[in-house]
Amino acid sequence: MNDTRKAILNRLNHYQLKYSGIESDAKAKQTDWGLEEKVKRFTARMQAVQAEVHEASLETWPEVLQEICHAKAINNLLASPSTRWGKEIYADAKRFPSLKRFQQPVEAWKTDFFNTIEAAVTGSAGGIAETGSLILCPDMQEPRTLSLVPPIHIALLEKKRIYNTLSEAIHQQNWVQTGMPTNVILISGPSKSADIEQTMTYGVHGPKELIILLV
Amino acid sequence: MAINFRKNAAKALKQDDIQINLKNVVSRLRDHRSAAFTDAALFEQLRLECKSIRERAVFRLPRLLEQLEGNLLRNGIQVHWAETTLQANQIVLDIMQRHQATFLVKGKSMVSEEMGINAFLASHGIECLESDLGEFIIQLANEKPAHIIVPAIHKNRKQIASLMHKYFPEMPYSEDIDILAAKARYFLRDKFCNAPVGMTGVNFMVAETGTLCLVENEGNGRMCTTVPPVHIAVTGIEKVIERLDDLPPLLSMLVRSATGQPITTYVNMISSPRREGEQDGPEEVHLVLLDNGRSNICGDMELQETLHCIRCGACINHCPVYRQIGGHAYDTVIPGPIGAILEPQKAGMDRYGELTQASTLCGACSEVCPVKIPIPKIINRLRWEAVRQDTCNVSGSCPARKPLEAVIWKIWSQVCSNPGLYRLLAQLVTRLRNCIPAAIWQGWTIARTPPKPARTTLHERLKAKGIDYE
């Protein structure tokens, strides 16, 4: 193993040509939209790929969430009890469908998780206006599969955390300096595919619906 | 053994359905792409930025690979190096056997195609299940992908419907694309849930942070990297980039060039396996770094640009040759213009040298390339490498040199560098303009009028007008 590594690196070092060191100064212009414009762009991009975007406020979001659960006839909702949003949800549990927790490693309940959970709600680390993307940094409270396995993914996003671009998010959140989260995921719409005749179909392997609550 | 490109191409040209299916899909891909780049000046600017990022990465390749390895190990991701595809396969097999795994679910990966991992593991009783919709279809049909982004590009919905019906007769026949996709979802969901190992490729590896970045639309990639207890990523050594800051421009260029979307549904950045206290994610993440001829391309200033490729497939969609013959005729992992320069350099000119002829040098490929690879220039260079008399700089011998051709070009160069001789011959050709044997045109005149020399030479006509610079 080490021999292979050494052989490849030796060959590369041997071949290595001198780098001109000339960096292109062509850097994409940094955009700077106002909050309203960012929300508008984020929403338009998301809707273009069949995501639902609901405007709410810090006071009204539980009500909007309740309505969504009702309208979609969701029977159970996977949510963390310890996040900022989760605490509020659990505090007022009776207005929501039966609440489920991710309280043990996924292996312990994989089949159940895959087959019975209808929807999951998560927070988000931010949004990107340019591309219409959610930024998720799953952690102990909100595991990676929350936004992947249930057929409906509902995400809460604070408007003030919508960045102009991915570059801006990388810098504002200090990913390089503080170390990357274990898994950063950008999500732009429900799962989709155009593998058959370049015709778009939604809900392939990931969530069939992505619903965003802007607060 | 050398491939027989001409024979494959001739065969493909006779298959009408391939032509129709390709034409439809390829033109859609091209339309989507051009709609995503409406501002030519911005496009050019971004292209320059991406080119310089990739150039910097390839120039610093050995250093970046060591940095990447260091950071990945620190993050808890295991790194394996493979000189050949056989070694890479063996590494994967060892991991599978250590976990007593009998099957794996796989996200789309061209490097895994290069390794031939499906067949290799099958010979050891291990099943690889393709989970990308296009790859899933291709696997059912027992074929190879015909395109690097849209593997089943050559199949229409009718063909896919009957294929699915053959394998899943319990589900009613349908040509509805939503239903076809739902069938794949239904079948694979259980597999994702129970798979002991997931395998994927990688789009970019960030040296600075030790991060593997994958893009996809379906969610099958995330299933493979997240749900099974073990994730194995396989990729070529050239996929490394230096900084996290290099990622956004490349991502934007890759996705828009490939499909015209502003971004894929999922961009998955993996920097670590499951950490203490986390409830999911793989317990083990492995990265297999494959060389397989790539490092040999680094020694030449001009050819090195081949390694800048980010595998968007735009050159393929814009190639008039690919559009006519499809991906299978190339008989390579990567088809199209980029395949025609990459594969001969990796596997040897003796095997794939003929692919350098699969081009009209029209330049469409380099015009759309998001990292400005001068593909026609490299094709020309490889054509020369294939016939040069002294040592060939590219792996594999130089098999295309024909003695008769060499003599003819020798004479040509003599004639062109001797004015007296040149004029004599030019006069001779104009006088014999009606006697040129049809045989010398070979295939050229099947669909073209043969060119006919003028009555008199240019020199004679100028002289007759009183112009004489000599």
Side-chain angles (χ1 to χ4, degrees):
Chain A
M1 176 52 62
N2 269 331
D3 292 346
T4 310
R5 177 184 183 276
K6 209 188 269 173
I8 294 172
L9 288 174
N10 278 346
R11 203 161 42 240
L12 286 172
N13 277 315
H14 171 72
Y15 283 142
Q16 210 180 8
L17 299 162
K18 211 169 160 48
Y19 175 48
S20 63
I22 300 165
E23 287 269 325
S24 156
D25 53 3
K27 284 263 185 288
K29 200 170 76 242
Q30 273 299 329
T31 27
D32 194 10
W33 296 304
L35 179 69
E36 207 173 307
E37 180 68 16
K38 283 193 281 191
V39 171
K40 206 178 98 192
R41 282 175 185 264
F42 175 87
T43 308
R45 283 286 192 207
M46 274 293 185
Q47 285 170 342
V49 288
Q50 311 265 310
E52 279 180 36
V53 182
H54 297 264
E55 296 245 9
S57 68
L58 282 171
E59 290 73 41
T60 61
W61 72 263
E63 199 180 312
V64 181
L65 179 61
Q66 181 187 7
E67 280 163 21
I68 292 168
C69 291
H70 183 73
K72 308 251 171 218
I74 294 169
N75 291 310
N76 56 48
L77 185 64
L78 187 60
S80 162
S82 45
T83 61
R84 174 181 165 196
W85 313 112
K87 279 180 193 151
E88 285 198 51
I89 293 173
Y90 278 85
D92 205 0
K94 59 182 177 305
R95 68 197 292 183
F96 298 109
S98 146
L99 294 175
K100 306 276 177 192
R101 301 169 188 215
F102 211 121
Q103 52 194 355
Q104 47 191 340
V106 68
E107 288 73 26
W109 68 303
K110 240 183 199 176
T111 313
D112 246 15
F113 178 35
F114 266 72
N115 297 318
T116 61
I117 299 296
E118 294 181 17
V121 59
T122 70
S124 43
I128 301 169
E130 185 184 43
T131 52
S133 315
L134 282 173
I135 305 169
L136 261 64
C137 302
D139 55 16
M140 291 181 204
Q141 280 77 40
E142 291 186 343
R144 307 180 192 202
T145 44
L146 268 193
S147 60
L148 177 66
V149 172
I152 299 176
H153 173 209
I154 305 169
L156 283 136
L157 170 64
E158 284 174 279
K159 284 182 200 165
K160 62 171 192 224
R161 300 186 82 175
I162 300 181
Y163 302 98
N164 291 287
T165 59
L166 173 59
S167 288
E168 196 194 12
I170 289 173
H171 286 265
Q172 296 284 325
Q173 304 212 349
N174 266 323
W175 286 346
V176 176
Q177 290 75 17
T178 56
M180 288 287 281
T182 53
N183 189 196
V184 177
I185 304 153
L186 309 183
I187 300 181
S188 310
S191 133
K192 64 179 188 287
S193 175
D195 268 351
I196 303 176
E197 294 187 358
Q198 271 296 292
T199 303
M200 202 57 83
T201 175
Y202 288 87
V204 184
H205 296 298
K208 297 176 179 184
E209 291 182 61
L210 174 67
I211 301 164
I212 296 150
L213 291 186
L214 282 176
V215 296
Chain B
M1 209 183 72
I3 54 154
N4 195 335
F5 175 68
R6 273 162 215 276
K7 204 174 127 200
N8 295 343
K11 201 174 124 202
L13 285 172
K14 290 199 189 99
Q15 289 169 291
D16 288 343
D17 53 341
I18 289 191
Q19 307 250 322
I20 295 163
N21 298 347
L22 270 178
K23 217 176 190 166
N24 286 340
V25 178
V26 165
S27 63
R28 267 186 218 177
L29 284 165
R30 286 207 314 269
D31 292 346
H32 292 161
R33 179 193 162 278
S34 54
F37 294 112
T38 43
D39 186 329
L42 273 181
F43 171 63
E44 201 47 41
Q45 205 178 24
L46 191 56
R47 235 158 64 111
L48 278 171
E49 192 184 349
C50 290
K51 177 193 160 75
S52 98
I53 291 171
R54 288 298 297 144
E55 194 172 68
R56 172 159 45 82
V58 171
F59 269 115
R60 296 177 178 166
L61 199 50
R63 214 195 72 202
L64 294 187
L65 285 170
E66 286 186 88
Q67 188 191 3
L68 173 79
E69 183 189 43
N71 284 329
L72 286 171
L73 292 174
R74 215 179 345 272
N75 292 346
I77 294 175
Q78 302 178 47
V79 182
H80 310 263
W81 300 71
E83 189 88 75
T84 61
T85 54
L86 184 67
Q87 281 180 11
N89 283 331
Q90 194 60 48
I91 291 166
V92 176
L93 178 65
D94 288 347
I95 299 171
M96 296 297 290
Q97 287 176 338
R98 206 168 57 238
H99 290 274
Q100 293 164 351
T102 55
F103 81 103
L104 61 79
V105 282
K106 208 174 127 199
K108 209 176 105 50
S109 148
M110 293 316 291
V111 170
S112 76
E113 290 289 335
E114 178 181 342
M115 289 159 59
I117 186 82
N118 295 13
F120 176 84
L121 288 183
S123 72
H124 290 84
I126 296 170
E127 189 192 5
C128 292
L129 206 63
E130 297 286 351
S131 62
D132 168 83
L133 183 55
E135 291 282 351
F136 180 70
I137 293 163
I138 291 303
Q139 192 175 33
L140 288 183
N142 199 18
E143 289 178 22
K144 286 182 174 168
H147 191 286
I148 63 170
I149 305 290
V150 193
I153 192 167
H154 57 299
K155 294 203 176 295
N156 61 34
R157 71 176 80 191
K158 277 199 168 65
Q159 293 164 323
I160 294 165
S162 48
L163 198 59
M164 290 243 188
H165 193 61
K166 187 175 146 200
Y167 284 92
F168 309 111
E170 68 283 4
M171 299 186 222
Y173 177 89
S174 171
E175 288 174 14
D176 184 303
I177 289 173
D178 291 338
I179 294 177
L180 291 172
K183 285 183 179 182
R185 178 183 173 106
Y186 177 78
F187 175 76
L188 284 168
R189 217 165 153 78
D190 185 46
K191 307 287 177 187
F192 287 132
C193 181
N194 296 309
V197 176
M199 177 187 266
T200 65
V202 176
N203 293 97
F204 302 105
M205 308 182 278
V206 185
E208 176 182 48
T209 54
T211 301
L212 310 178
C213 179
L214 285 78
V215 298
E216 54 137 353
N217 283 318
E218 295 179 10
N220 67 305
R222 280 185 68 199
M223 286 282 185
C224 295
T225 66
T226 313
V227 179
V230 180
H231 169 211
I232 306 172
V234 294
T235 197
I237 52 171
E238 83 283 15
K239 291 273 177 74
V240 68
I241 54 175
E242 189 170 11
R243 304 189 280 250
L244 192 61
D245 268 341
D246 294 338
L247 186 63
L250 285 175
L251 265 184
S252 169
M253 240 348 184
L254 169 65
V255 178
R256 289 198 282 170
S257 299
T259 61
Q261 305 173 84
I263 194 166
T264 46
T265 305
Y266 302 114
V267 176
N268 187 357
M269 296 178 237
I270 301 163
S271 302
S272 161
R274 180 187 310 194
R275 285 200 183 138
E276 186 73 35
E278 289 182 345
Q279 307 284 34
D280 67 3
E283 305 272 5
E284 275 179 34
V285 179
H286 298 266
L287 173 70
V288 180
L289 288 169
L290 176 64
D291 184 335
N292 195 28
R294 287 165 174 85
S295 56
N296 283 326
I297 305 177
C298 285
D300 186 292
M301 202 63 183
E302 188 177 32
L303 298 176
Q304 194 190 60
E305 293 195 55
T306 312
L307 295 179
H308 294 178
C309 176
I310 55 172
R311 304 284 190 274
C312 70
C315 62
I316 300 176
N317 301 336
H318 288 76
C319 179
V321 176
Y322 177 88
R323 216 144 65 218
Q324 296 302 323
I325 60 175
H328 289 152
Y330 291 79
D331 204 2
T332 51
V333 176
I334 313 262
I338 185 64
I341 61 170
L342 178 68
E343 303 285 1
Q345 296 185 69
K346 273 172 52 198
M349 293 294 285
D350 43 351
R351 178 138 190 232
Y352 288 126
E354 204 188 349
L355 291 182
T356 58
Q357 304 299 319
S359 168
T360 62
L361 301 182
C362 72
C365 47
S366 57
E367 231 169 72
V368 296
C369 176
V371 290
K372 289 175 85 83
I373 301 173
I375 296 177
K377 211 170 125 206
I378 297 178
I379 288 178
N380 250 336
R381 166 73 190 280
L382 291 174
R383 286 181 182 178
W384 175 68
E385 291 287 349
V387 295
R388 66 191 282 189
Q389 207 171 4
D390 48 349
T391 5
C392 180
N393 268 346
V394 181
S395 69
S397 55
C398 299
R401 191 178 175 89
K402 295 177 193 145
L404 181 62
E405 206 174 50
V407 171
I408 291 172
W409 285 112
K410 190 90 190 160
I411 295 172
W412 176 257
S413 110
Q414 288 291 325
V415 169
C416 288
S417 50
N418 181 330
L421 204 56
Y422 179 82
R423 270 175 218 193
L424 185 71
L425 199 77
Q427 277 178 13
L428 198 66
V429 170
T430 55
R431 301 314 182 266
L432 295 175
R433 58 199 286 266
N434 290 318
C435 315
I436 294 169
I440 70 163
W441 303 117
Q442 296 191 9
W444 182 257
T445 49
I446 291 173
R448 294 180 188 87
T449 318
K452 198 173 178 184
R455 263 171 231 284
T456 51
T457 68
L458 182 64
H459 275 110
E460 288 171 327
R461 287 164 72 182
L462 287 174
K463 214 166 192 173
K465 284 189 176 180
I467 306 165
D468 190 352
Y469 289 108
E470 284 168 284

